[in-house]
Amino acid sequence: MVVGILQVELHIAQSFSLKDKRRVLQGTIERIRRRFNVSVAEIDHQDVWQRALLAIVTVSNQSAYTDRSLRSVLRYLESQRDLEVVECHTELI
């Protein structure tokens, strides 16, 4: 069993309040969950209105599949116009 963890720090430039941030993040998180069949949670910066740290996790029996899945999620996040990926870190366990 291989567990893949992707931590992504995001900058949300068009967010001017926590309400704006939640609107953008909730939609993004739901689309990621549906499209890639992964678990997603905001794990830090909950009280900061232009930053977010997301953890994306997937489990598989093959490390290549797990890595490919997390790279697809990262590419998707990088293509979003409402978000900017500031930093990311991937770990396979």
Side-chain angles (χ1 to χ4, degrees):
M1 175 175 69
V2 180
V3 178
I5 304 166
L6 172 64
Q7 289 187 22
V8 182
E9 185 167 344
L10 301 172
H11 180 257
I12 307 165
Q14 298 302 317
S15 174
F16 300 104
S17 67
L18 286 175
K19 189 174 180 179
D20 287 343
K21 174 188 173 181
R22 298 282 176 255
R23 180 186 51 77
V24 171
L25 276 184
Q26 285 177 348
T28 301
I29 288 171
E30 271 309 305
R31 285 189 300 275
I32 291 170
R33 285 180 179 152
R34 281 194 314 261
R35 186 172 183 174
F36 299 101
N37 193 27
V38 295
S39 295
V40 184
E42 182 181 5
I43 60 171
D44 202 1
H45 309 307
Q46 286 91 346
D47 295 331
V48 181
W49 45 276
Q50 286 192 326
R51 290 178 63 191
L53 182 62
L54 298 182
I56 297 108
V57 179
T58 187
V59 178
S60 174
N61 61 350
Q62 298 176 359
S63 60
Y65 175 81
T66 303
D67 186 53
R68 205 169 36 249
S69 177
L70 292 177
R71 279 190 277 128
S72 295
V73 172
L74 181 60
R75 279 194 304 274
Y76 175 78
L77 285 170
E78 290 173 336
S79 73
Q80 299 303 296
R81 59 185 169 90
D82 295 339
L83 308 168
E84 177 187 350
V85 174
V86 176
E87 188 176 336
C88 69
H89 174 73
T90 304
E91 182 177 356
L92 298 178
I93 302 171

